[in-house]
Amino acid sequence: MAGHFTLLGGLARLVRARAGNVGMILALALPAAATLVLGATDVASIMGDRERMRSIAEAAALAGARNLSVAMSEADATEHAKSMALAMIGEWRNAPHMEVAVSVLRVEHGAKAVHVEIDARRPSFFGDLLPPGGWQYGQEATASSIGTKPLCVLAFSDSKQNKLTMQGAPEIRAPLCLVHSNGDVDVKGGSIDAGQTQAVRSATGNITPDPITDAPPITDPFADLDMSTAGILCLKKNMNIALALMVTGEITLPAGVHCGLIDVGGDAVVNLAPGEHRFVLGSLTMRGQSRLVGDDVVMIFDRTWKTKFKDDALIRLSGRESGTLSGFVLMVERGNTQIFEIDSTHVERLDGVIYAPDAELYVGGTSDVARESDWTVIVANSLSLNGNPHLYLNADYDGSDILAPAGVGNRRDAVRLLD
């Protein structure tokens, strides 16, 4: 019996000893486990901070880059970016202590970019002992405008052919805006004097200032715009009078559909009433000393249409001031691959966008083109100048009743984040 009690007592002591060891192990392990849990919570919080800081830095950099236009100084751009970052930080509850620094950088090909850097400090759960001094971390972002000048010429086809060519002694004068080609700029004669000229491939010839090459391509900003004339039938009930030949007198064409041959010569005058004018299944020739005039108008040519402005014909057109085609003055439907010829000696005004996505815009003659316009933008598959024309691409957007459509003109939204 005594041996039995001795055995039981030994087992009890063993259990108590092991229980004590377990208690000691737990006592030692609990602080470590708590440290891991609190540390993991700390790290998760910091990772969340960094993600939000990255969003703030990117938004501020993009906002600053939008202000790197011809009308805004570097100081304006940096101040705008910093103000936006601070405003977003001000809306952040329980935010860490943050400091914002903004600068303007020179990046590839001499372009400018806005760089935003945000540094943060947050105390840790361990009295700034782990890590020593608390958590210190940061995020940064850089954004650049695609072109630091308002876009006034875009030859956007990405084929291997030259997209902007000049021969003879023509001139492009666009001192306040950007001339861009997704291919080459080939000035074999004449000159380009622009705020900036750039090409995805090469740019050669008399170009002031020195052109940028290897530029990023710019896609067609109006690729989603519906200007189709499909379904329009040339029936008497839905079309306006067609002018087979007009050499004298004056006529006013109401907005709507115009079909067939329109050949205007002599001293005849064609007035376009305000609105959209759609030209279907025919051609338009302005020659002699004829006149084509209209305010608040857009001329839309279908995929079969041929157009020539030649001789001493006078052209004075101002684009649409409202509606879905606001800002446009001349449009050539997609699928029309013909040459749109501006070869007259009196093309005085072309206020608005000339849009020819699949056609070549040809500018010839021996005199000024669009010199009296407040602003003119050309977006075409390709652009060629020959002879001795002086093509003026003014950029007085603020002084015009015609608003430039999104994607051209003062392209405040044409920005991108840099890696």
Side-chain angles (χ1 to χ4, degrees), residues 351-387:
D351 277 294
V353 177
I354 301 171
Y355 181 45
D358 292 323
E360 174 187 343
L361 180 64
Y362 172 89
V363 180
T366 59
S367 60
D368 297 342
V369 176
R371 184 169 187 168
E372 297 181 21
S373 303
D374 290 327
W375 64 269
T376 302
V377 170
I378 294 172
V379 177
N381 181 277
S382 60
L383 171 65
S384 62
L385 285 79
N386 205 338

PDB file of all heavy atoms in Angstrom, residues 351-387:
ATOM      1  N   ASP A 351     -11.428  78.736 -88.708  1.00  0.00           N
ATOM      2  CA  ASP A 351     -11.478  78.680 -87.245  1.00  0.00           C
ATOM      3  C   ASP A 351     -12.047  77.336 -86.811  1.00  0.00           C
ATOM      4  O   ASP A 351     -13.223  77.052 -87.058  1.00  0.00           O
ATOM      5  CB  ASP A 351     -12.380  79.795 -86.704  1.00  0.00           C
ATOM      6  CG  ASP A 351     -11.646  81.124 -86.602  1.00  0.00           C
ATOM      7  OD1 ASP A 351     -10.723  81.221 -85.791  1.00  0.00           O
ATOM      8  OD2 ASP A 351     -12.004  82.055 -87.351  1.00  0.00           O
ATOM      9  N   GLY A 352     -11.227  76.533 -86.155  1.00  0.00           N
ATOM     10  CA  GLY A 352     -11.700  75.247 -85.678  1.00  0.00           C
ATOM     11  C   GLY A 352     -10.782  74.116 -86.093  1.00  0.00           C
ATOM     12  O   GLY A 352      -9.660  74.328 -86.564  1.00  0.00           O
ATOM     13  N   VAL A 353     -11.285  72.902 -85.933  1.00  0.00           N
ATOM     14  CA  VAL A 353     -10.516  71.697 -86.226  1.00  0.00           C
ATOM     15  C   VAL A 353     -10.807  71.209 -87.635  1.00  0.00           C
ATOM     16  O   VAL A 353     -11.964  71.088 -88.043  1.00  0.00           O
ATOM     17  CB  VAL A 353     -10.848  70.572 -85.223  1.00  0.00           C
ATOM     18  CG1 VAL A 353     -10.085  69.294 -85.576  1.00  0.00           C
ATOM     19  CG2 VAL A 353     -10.510  70.998 -83.800  1.00  0.00           C
ATOM     20  N   ILE A 354      -9.745  70.937 -88.377  1.00  0.00           N
ATOM     21  CA  ILE A 354      -9.842  70.240 -89.664  1.00  0.00           C
ATOM     22  C   ILE A 354      -9.494  68.783 -89.380  1.00  0.00           C
ATOM     23  O   ILE A 354      -8.368  68.471 -88.972  1.00  0.00           O
ATOM     24  CB  ILE A 354      -8.872  70.832 -90.692  1.00  0.00           C
ATOM     25  CG1 ILE A 354      -9.159  72.318 -90.906  1.00  0.00           C
ATOM     26  CG2 ILE A 354      -8.953  70.062 -92.016  1.00  0.00           C
ATOM     27  CD1 ILE A 354      -8.107  73.031 -91.738  1.00  0.00           C
ATOM     28  N   TYR A 355     -10.458  67.880 -89.580  1.00  0.00           N
ATOM     29  CA  TYR A 355     -10.297  66.482 -89.185  1.00  0.00           C
ATOM     30  C   TYR A 355     -10.443  65.588 -90.403  1.00  0.00           C
ATOM     31  O   TYR A 355     -11.507  65.521 -91.015  1.00  0.00           O
ATOM     32  CB  TYR A 355     -11.333  66.123 -88.127  1.00  0.00           C
ATOM     33  CG  TYR A 355     -11.244  64.704 -87.610  1.00  0.00           C
ATOM     34  CD1 TYR A 355     -10.025  64.131 -87.263  1.00  0.00           C
ATOM     35  CD2 TYR A 355     -12.397  63.934 -87.443  1.00  0.00           C
ATOM     36  CE1 TYR A 355      -9.955  62.842 -86.776  1.00  0.00           C
ATOM     37  CE2 TYR A 355     -12.339  62.643 -86.942  1.00  0.00           C
ATOM     38  CZ  TYR A 355     -11.117  62.097 -86.620  1.00  0.00           C
ATOM     39  OH  TYR A 355     -11.040  60.813 -86.136  1.00  0.00           O
ATOM     40  N   ALA A 356      -9.357  64.884 -90.757  1.00  0.00           N
ATOM     41  CA  ALA A 356      -9.346  64.005 -91.918  1.00  0.00           C
ATOM     42  C   ALA A 356      -8.613  62.720 -91.538  1.00  0.00           C
ATOM     43  O   ALA A 356      -7.438  62.541 -91.845  1.00  0.00           O
ATOM     44  CB  ALA A 356      -8.661  64.688 -93.104  1.00  0.00           C
ATOM     45  N   PRO A 357      -9.287  61.789 -90.841  1.00  0.00           N
ATOM     46  CA  PRO A 357      -8.599  60.646 -90.248  1.00  0.00           C
ATOM     47  C   PRO A 357      -7.948  59.681 -91.219  1.00  0.00           C
ATOM     48  O   PRO A 357      -6.951  59.046 -90.874  1.00  0.00           O
ATOM     49  CB  PRO A 357      -9.696  59.958 -89.434  1.00  0.00           C
ATOM     50  CG  PRO A 357     -10.982  60.427 -90.024  1.00  0.00           C
ATOM     51  CD  PRO A 357     -10.721  61.812 -90.510  1.00  0.00           C
ATOM     52  N   ASP A 358      -8.493  59.548 -92.438  1.00  0.00           N
ATOM     53  CA  ASP A 358      -7.901  58.630 -93.411  1.00  0.00           C
ATOM     54  C   ASP A 358      -7.418  59.340 -94.665  1.00  0.00           C
ATOM     55  O   ASP A 358      -6.922  58.695 -95.593  1.00  0.00           O
ATOM     56  CB  ASP A 358      -8.922  57.547 -93.803  1.00  0.00           C
ATOM     57  CG  ASP A 358      -9.235  56.613 -92.647  1.00  0.00           C
ATOM     58  OD1 ASP A 358      -8.306  56.297 -91.870  1.00  0.00           O
ATOM     59  OD2 ASP A 358     -10.410  56.224 -92.503  1.00  0.00           O
ATOM     60  N   ALA A 359      -7.567  60.634 -94.719  1.00  0.00           N
ATOM     61  CA  ALA A 359      -7.219  61.387 -95.923  1.00  0.00           C
ATOM     62  C   ALA A 359      -5.929  62.172 -95.724  1.00  0.00           C
ATOM     63  O   ALA A 359      -5.479  62.408 -94.598  1.00  0.00           O
ATOM     64  CB  ALA A 359      -8.354  62.347 -96.291  1.00  0.00           C
ATOM     65  N   GLU A 360      -5.347  62.562 -96.846  1.00  0.00           N
ATOM     66  CA  GLU A 360      -4.186  63.454 -96.825  1.00  0.00           C
ATOM     67  C   GLU A 360      -4.673  64.883 -97.014  1.00  0.00           C
ATOM     68  O   GLU A 360      -5.446  65.180 -97.925  1.00  0.00           O
ATOM     69  CB  GLU A 360      -3.213  63.103 -97.944  1.00  0.00           C
ATOM     70  CG  GLU A 360      -2.045  64.082 -98.067  1.00  0.00           C
ATOM     71  CD  GLU A 360      -1.169  63.840 -99.275  1.00  0.00           C
ATOM     72  OE1 GLU A 360      -1.254  62.738 -99.858  1.00  0.00           O
ATOM     73  OE2 GLU A 360      -0.411  64.753 -99.655  1.00  0.00           O
ATOM     74  N   LEU A 361      -4.220  65.769 -96.153  1.00  0.00           N
ATOM     75  CA  LEU A 361      -4.523  67.188 -96.304  1.00  0.00           C
ATOM     76  C   LEU A 361      -3.366  67.834 -97.051  1.00  0.00           C
ATOM     77  O   LEU A 361      -2.221  67.789 -96.597  1.00  0.00           O
ATOM     78  CB  LEU A 361      -4.714  67.854 -94.945  1.00  0.00           C
ATOM     79  CG  LEU A 361      -5.033  69.349 -94.973  1.00  0.00           C
ATOM     80  CD1 LEU A 361      -6.375  69.589 -95.656  1.00  0.00           C
ATOM     81  CD2 LEU A 361      -5.039  69.935 -93.567  1.00  0.00           C
ATOM     82  N   TYR A 362      -3.684  68.408 -98.206  1.00  0.00           N
ATOM     83  CA  TYR A 362      -2.670  69.042 -99.063  1.00  0.00           C
ATOM     84  C   TYR A 362      -2.876  70.550 -99.034  1.00  0.00           C
ATOM     85  O   TYR A 362      -3.977  71.046 -99.288  1.00  0.00           O
ATOM     86  CB  TYR A 362      -2.784  68.521-100.494  1.00  0.00           C
ATOM     87  CG  TYR A 362      -1.908  69.245-101.490  1.00  0.00           C
ATOM     88  CD1 TYR A 362      -0.605  68.818-101.725  1.00  0.00           C
ATOM     89  CD2 TYR A 362      -2.390  70.349-102.200  1.00  0.00           C
ATOM     90  CE1 TYR A 362       0.204  69.485-102.648  1.00  0.00           C
ATOM     91  CE2 TYR A 362      -1.591  71.016-103.116  1.00  0.00           C
ATOM     92  CZ  TYR A 362      -0.296  70.586-103.335  1.00  0.00           C
ATOM     93  OH  TYR A 362       0.505  71.249-104.236  1.00  0.00           O
ATOM     94  N   VAL A 363      -1.821  71.283 -98.704  1.00  0.00           N
ATOM     95  CA  VAL A 363      -1.880  72.735 -98.678  1.00  0.00           C
ATOM     96  C   VAL A 363      -0.883  73.268 -99.697  1.00  0.00           C
ATOM     97  O   VAL A 363       0.324  72.982 -99.618  1.00  0.00           O
ATOM     98  CB  VAL A 363      -1.548  73.301 -97.283  1.00  0.00           C
ATOM     99  CG1 VAL A 363      -1.620  74.832 -97.300  1.00  0.00           C
ATOM    100  CG2 VAL A 363      -2.503  72.731 -96.235  1.00  0.00           C
ATOM    101  N   GLY A 364      -1.376  74.017-100.687  1.00  0.00           N
ATOM    102  CA  GLY A 364      -0.509  74.578-101.718  1.00  0.00           C
ATOM    103  C   GLY A 364      -0.727  76.077-101.837  1.00  0.00           C
ATOM    104  O   GLY A 364      -1.053  76.755-100.865  1.00  0.00           O
ATOM    105  N   GLY A 365      -0.541  76.585-103.030  1.00  0.00           N
ATOM    106  CA  GLY A 365      -0.740  78.005-103.267  1.00  0.00           C
ATOM    107  C   GLY A 365       0.506  78.825-103.006  1.00  0.00           C
ATOM    108  O   GLY A 365       1.608  78.290-102.807  1.00  0.00           O
ATOM    109  N   THR A 366       0.304  80.147-102.991  1.00  0.00           N
ATOM    110  CA  THR A 366       1.450  81.056-102.872  1.00  0.00           C
ATOM    111  C   THR A 366       1.208  82.156-101.851  1.00  0.00           C
ATOM    112  O   THR A 366       1.872  83.194-101.889  1.00  0.00           O
ATOM    113  CB  THR A 366       1.743  81.703-104.240  1.00  0.00           C
ATOM    114  OG1 THR A 366       0.578  82.417-104.677  1.00  0.00           O
ATOM    115  CG2 THR A 366       2.128  80.650-105.272  1.00  0.00           C
ATOM    116  N   SER A 367       0.263  81.957-100.936  1.00  0.00           N
ATOM    117  CA  SER A 367      -0.061  83.049-100.017  1.00  0.00           C
ATOM    118  C   SER A 367      -0.387  82.495 -98.636  1.00  0.00           C
ATOM    119  O   SER A 367      -0.221  81.300 -98.354  1.00  0.00           O
ATOM    120  CB  SER A 367      -1.232  83.870-100.565  1.00  0.00           C
ATOM    121  OG  SER A 367      -2.377  83.054-100.711  1.00  0.00           O
ATOM    122  N   ASP A 368      -0.870  83.397 -97.766  1.00  0.00           N
ATOM    123  CA  ASP A 368      -1.175  83.019 -96.389  1.00  0.00           C
ATOM    124  C   ASP A 368      -2.422  82.139 -96.335  1.00  0.00           C
ATOM    125  O   ASP A 368      -3.379  82.342 -97.093  1.00  0.00           O
ATOM    126  CB  ASP A 368      -1.413  84.262 -95.534  1.00  0.00           C
ATOM    127  CG  ASP A 368      -0.178  85.150 -95.440  1.00  0.00           C
ATOM    128  OD1 ASP A 368       0.923  84.636 -95.750  1.00  0.00           O
ATOM    129  OD2 ASP A 368      -0.322  86.331 -95.070  1.00  0.00           O
ATOM    130  N   VAL A 369      -2.402  81.187 -95.399  1.00  0.00           N
ATOM    131  CA  VAL A 369      -3.539  80.300 -95.172  1.00  0.00           C
ATOM    132  C   VAL A 369      -3.937  80.388 -93.702  1.00  0.00           C
ATOM    133  O   VAL A 369      -3.102  80.156 -92.818  1.00  0.00           O
ATOM    134  CB  VAL A 369      -3.195  78.841 -95.539  1.00  0.00           C
ATOM    135  CG1 VAL A 369      -4.360  77.911 -95.201  1.00  0.00           C
ATOM    136  CG2 VAL A 369      -2.841  78.733 -97.024  1.00  0.00           C
ATOM    137  N   ALA A 370      -5.198  80.745 -93.454  1.00  0.00           N
ATOM    138  CA  ALA A 370      -5.782  80.789 -92.107  1.00  0.00           C
ATOM    139  C   ALA A 370      -5.133  81.837 -91.204  1.00  0.00           C
ATOM    140  O   ALA A 370      -5.197  81.727 -89.985  1.00  0.00           O
ATOM    141  CB  ALA A 370      -5.717  79.413 -91.443  1.00  0.00           C
ATOM    142  N   ARG A 371      -4.539  82.845 -91.796  1.00  0.00           N
ATOM    143  CA  ARG A 371      -3.851  83.847 -90.983  1.00  0.00           C
ATOM    144  C   ARG A 371      -4.795  84.616 -90.063  1.00  0.00           C
ATOM    145  O   ARG A 371      -4.421  85.013 -88.958  1.00  0.00           O
ATOM    146  CB  ARG A 371      -3.107  84.823 -91.895  1.00  0.00           C
ATOM    147  CG  ARG A 371      -2.285  85.844 -91.126  1.00  0.00           C
ATOM    148  CD  ARG A 371      -1.353  86.626 -92.023  1.00  0.00           C
ATOM    149  NE  ARG A 371      -0.459  87.486 -91.253  1.00  0.00           N
ATOM    150  CZ  ARG A 371       0.600  88.108 -91.759  1.00  0.00           C
ATOM    151  NH1 ARG A 371       0.903  87.963 -93.028  1.00  0.00           N
ATOM    152  NH2 ARG A 371       1.354  88.872 -90.990  1.00  0.00           N
ATOM    153  N   GLU A 372      -6.042  84.832 -90.470  1.00  0.00           N
ATOM    154  CA  GLU A 372      -6.970  85.626 -89.674  1.00  0.00           C
ATOM    155  C   GLU A 372      -7.737  84.806 -88.645  1.00  0.00           C
ATOM    156  O   GLU A 372      -8.551  85.353 -87.891  1.00  0.00           O
ATOM    157  CB  GLU A 372      -7.951  86.343 -90.606  1.00  0.00           C
ATOM    158  CG  GLU A 372      -7.295  87.334 -91.553  1.00  0.00           C
ATOM    159  CD  GLU A 372      -8.308  88.028 -92.447  1.00  0.00           C
ATOM    160  OE1 GLU A 372      -9.496  88.054 -92.076  1.00  0.00           O
ATOM    161  OE2 GLU A 372      -7.915  88.541 -93.513  1.00  0.00           O
ATOM    162  N   SER A 373      -7.485  83.508 -88.590  1.00  0.00           N
ATOM    163  CA  SER A 373      -8.189  82.647 -87.644  1.00  0.00           C
ATOM    164  C   SER A 373      -7.727  82.918 -86.220  1.00  0.00           C
ATOM    165  O   SER A 373      -6.556  83.206 -85.979  1.00  0.00           O
ATOM    166  CB  SER A 373      -7.933  81.173 -87.979  1.00  0.00           C
ATOM    167  OG  SER A 373      -8.309  80.869 -89.299  1.00  0.00           O
ATOM    168  N   ASP A 374      -8.661  82.788 -85.268  1.00  0.00           N
ATOM    169  CA  ASP A 374      -8.263  82.831 -83.859  1.00  0.00           C
ATOM    170  C   ASP A 374      -7.420  81.601 -83.530  1.00  0.00           C
ATOM    171  O   ASP A 374      -6.390  81.692 -82.866  1.00  0.00           O
ATOM    172  CB  ASP A 374      -9.495  82.874 -82.949  1.00  0.00           C
ATOM    173  CG  ASP A 374     -10.222  84.205 -83.031  1.00  0.00           C
ATOM    174  OD1 ASP A 374      -9.552  85.241 -83.223  1.00  0.00           O
ATOM    175  OD2 ASP A 374     -11.463  84.213 -82.916  1.00  0.00           O
ATOM    176  N   TRP A 375      -7.893  80.449 -83.995  1.00  0.00           N
ATOM    177  CA  TRP A 375      -7.116  79.226 -83.811  1.00  0.00           C
ATOM    178  C   TRP A 375      -7.509  78.213 -84.871  1.00  0.00           C
ATOM    179  O   TRP A 375      -8.640  78.185 -85.341  1.00  0.00           O
ATOM    180  CB  TRP A 375      -7.291  78.646 -82.406  1.00  0.00           C
ATOM    181  CG  TRP A 375      -8.687  78.192 -82.050  1.00  0.00           C
ATOM    182  CD1 TRP A 375      -9.667  78.939 -81.462  1.00  0.00           C
ATOM    183  CD2 TRP A 375      -9.262  76.892 -82.264  1.00  0.00           C
ATOM    184  NE1 TRP A 375     -10.809  78.197 -81.294  1.00  0.00           N
ATOM    185  CE2 TRP A 375     -10.585  76.934 -81.756  1.00  0.00           C
ATOM    186  CE3 TRP A 375      -8.789  75.696 -82.814  1.00  0.00           C
ATOM    187  CZ2 TRP A 375     -11.446  75.826 -81.798  1.00  0.00           C
ATOM    188  CZ3 TRP A 375      -9.638  74.589 -82.854  1.00  0.00           C
ATOM    189  CH2 TRP A 375     -10.943  74.665 -82.349  1.00  0.00           C
ATOM    190  N   THR A 376      -6.547  77.402 -85.241  1.00  0.00           N
ATOM    191  CA  THR A 376      -6.766  76.325 -86.203  1.00  0.00           C
ATOM    192  C   THR A 376      -6.002  75.099 -85.732  1.00  0.00           C
ATOM    193  O   THR A 376      -4.848  75.194 -85.307  1.00  0.00           O
ATOM    194  CB  THR A 376      -6.278  76.709 -87.610  1.00  0.00           C
ATOM    195  OG1 THR A 376      -6.957  77.893 -88.039  1.00  0.00           O
ATOM    196  CG2 THR A 376      -6.543  75.588 -88.609  1.00  0.00           C
ATOM    197  N   VAL A 377      -6.647  73.947 -85.811  1.00  0.00           N
ATOM    198  CA  VAL A 377      -6.020  72.671 -85.471  1.00  0.00           C
ATOM    199  C   VAL A 377      -6.213  71.720 -86.636  1.00  0.00           C
ATOM    200  O   VAL A 377      -7.305  71.636 -87.205  1.00  0.00           O
ATOM    201  CB  VAL A 377      -6.621  72.069 -84.184  1.00  0.00           C
ATOM    202  CG1 VAL A 377      -6.129  70.634 -83.972  1.00  0.00           C
ATOM    203  CG2 VAL A 377      -6.275  72.928 -82.974  1.00  0.00           C
ATOM    204  N   ILE A 378      -5.148  71.004 -86.989  1.00  0.00           N
ATOM    205  CA  ILE A 378      -5.213  70.007 -88.052  1.00  0.00           C
ATOM    206  C   ILE A 378      -4.960  68.631 -87.445  1.00  0.00           C
ATOM    207  O   ILE A 378      -3.914  68.403 -86.819  1.00  0.00           O
ATOM    208  CB  ILE A 378      -4.172  70.288 -89.151  1.00  0.00           C
ATOM    209  CG1 ILE A 378      -4.503  71.599 -89.869  1.00  0.00           C
ATOM    210  CG2 ILE A 378      -4.110  69.122 -90.149  1.00  0.00           C
ATOM    211  CD1 ILE A 378      -3.421  72.049 -90.839  1.00  0.00           C
ATOM    212  N   VAL A 379      -5.917  67.727 -87.600  1.00  0.00           N
ATOM    213  CA  VAL A 379      -5.754  66.326 -87.197  1.00  0.00           C
ATOM    214  C   VAL A 379      -6.050  65.491 -88.427  1.00  0.00           C
ATOM    215  O   VAL A 379      -7.199  65.391 -88.863  1.00  0.00           O
ATOM    216  CB  VAL A 379      -6.681  65.946 -86.035  1.00  0.00           C
ATOM    217  CG1 VAL A 379      -6.532  64.468 -85.688  1.00  0.00           C
ATOM    218  CG2 VAL A 379      -6.397  66.810 -84.811  1.00  0.00           C
ATOM    219  N   ALA A 380      -5.011  64.924 -89.015  1.00  0.00           N
ATOM    220  CA  ALA A 380      -5.170  64.228 -90.293  1.00  0.00           C
ATOM    221  C   ALA A 380      -4.275  63.006 -90.343  1.00  0.00           C
ATOM    222  O   ALA A 380      -3.302  62.889 -89.592  1.00  0.00           O
ATOM    223  CB  ALA A 380      -4.843  65.167 -91.455  1.00  0.00           C
ATOM    224  N   ASN A 381      -4.615  62.113 -91.265  1.00  0.00           N
ATOM    225  CA  ASN A 381      -3.759  60.959 -91.488  1.00  0.00           C
ATOM    226  C   ASN A 381      -2.367  61.412 -91.874  1.00  0.00           C
ATOM    227  O   ASN A 381      -1.367  60.896 -91.367  1.00  0.00           O
ATOM    228  CB  ASN A 381      -4.376  60.071 -92.576  1.00  0.00           C
ATOM    229  CG  ASN A 381      -3.563  58.836 -92.862  1.00  0.00           C
ATOM    230  OD1 ASN A 381      -2.601  58.888 -93.628  1.00  0.00           O
ATOM    231  ND2 ASN A 381      -3.937  57.727 -92.251  1.00  0.00           N
ATOM    232  N   SER A 382      -2.297  62.409 -92.763  1.00  0.00           N
ATOM    233  CA  SER A 382      -1.013  62.967 -93.161  1.00  0.00           C
ATOM    234  C   SER A 382      -1.222  64.398 -93.644  1.00  0.00           C
ATOM    235  O   SER A 382      -2.331  64.794 -94.001  1.00  0.00           O
ATOM    236  CB  SER A 382      -0.356  62.125 -94.260  1.00  0.00           C
ATOM    237  OG  SER A 382      -1.173  62.054 -95.415  1.00  0.00           O
ATOM    238  N   LEU A 383      -0.136  65.157 -93.647  1.00  0.00           N
ATOM    239  CA  LEU A 383      -0.173  66.560 -94.054  1.00  0.00           C
ATOM    240  C   LEU A 383       1.003  66.836 -94.971  1.00  0.00           C
ATOM    241  O   LEU A 383       2.146  66.481 -94.653  1.00  0.00           O
ATOM    242  CB  LEU A 383      -0.095  67.469 -92.823  1.00  0.00           C
ATOM    243  CG  LEU A 383       0.084  68.971 -93.074  1.00  0.00           C
ATOM    244  CD1 LEU A 383      -1.136  69.549 -93.785  1.00  0.00           C
ATOM    245  CD2 LEU A 383       0.327  69.707 -91.756  1.00  0.00           C
ATOM    246  N   SER A 384       0.723  67.455 -96.118  1.00  0.00           N
ATOM    247  CA  SER A 384       1.795  67.827 -97.036  1.00  0.00           C
ATOM    248  C   SER A 384       1.589  69.264 -97.504  1.00  0.00           C
ATOM    249  O   SER A 384       0.463  69.706 -97.723  1.00  0.00           O
ATOM    250  CB  SER A 384       1.846  66.883 -98.240  1.00  0.00           C
ATOM    251  OG  SER A 384       0.653  66.949 -99.000  1.00  0.00           O
ATOM    252  N   LEU A 385       2.707  69.987 -97.629  1.00  0.00           N
ATOM    253  CA  LEU A 385       2.698  71.357 -98.130  1.00  0.00           C
ATOM    254  C   LEU A 385       3.631  71.446 -99.322  1.00  0.00           C
ATOM    255  O   LEU A 385       4.736  70.873 -99.303  1.00  0.00           O
ATOM    256  CB  LEU A 385       3.148  72.351 -97.053  1.00  0.00           C
ATOM    257  CG  LEU A 385       2.154  72.687 -95.933  1.00  0.00           C
ATOM    258  CD1 LEU A 385       2.115  71.598 -94.883  1.00  0.00           C
ATOM    259  CD2 LEU A 385       2.495  74.029 -95.292  1.00  0.00           C
ATOM    260  N   ASN A 386       3.186  72.168-100.345  1.00  0.00           N
ATOM    261  CA  ASN A 386       3.986  72.289-101.562  1.00  0.00           C
ATOM    262  C   ASN A 386       3.794  73.690-102.128  1.00  0.00           C
ATOM    263  O   ASN A 386       2.741  74.298-101.976  1.00  0.00           O
ATOM    264  CB  ASN A 386       3.553  71.240-102.590  1.00  0.00           C
ATOM    265  CG  ASN A 386       4.667  70.916-103.563  1.00  0.00           C
ATOM    266  OD1 ASN A 386       5.590  71.705-103.748  1.00  0.00           O
ATOM    267  ND2 ASN A 386       4.584  69.751-104.201  1.00  0.00           N
ATOM    268  N   GLY A 387       4.812  74.193-102.778  1.00  0.00           N
ATOM    269  CA  GLY A 387       4.741  75.525-103.355  1.00  0.00           C
ATOM    270  C   GLY A 387       5.247  76.560-102.370  1.00  0.00           C
ATOM    271  O   GLY A 387       6.289  76.384-101.744  1.00  0.00           O
TER     272      GLY A 387
END
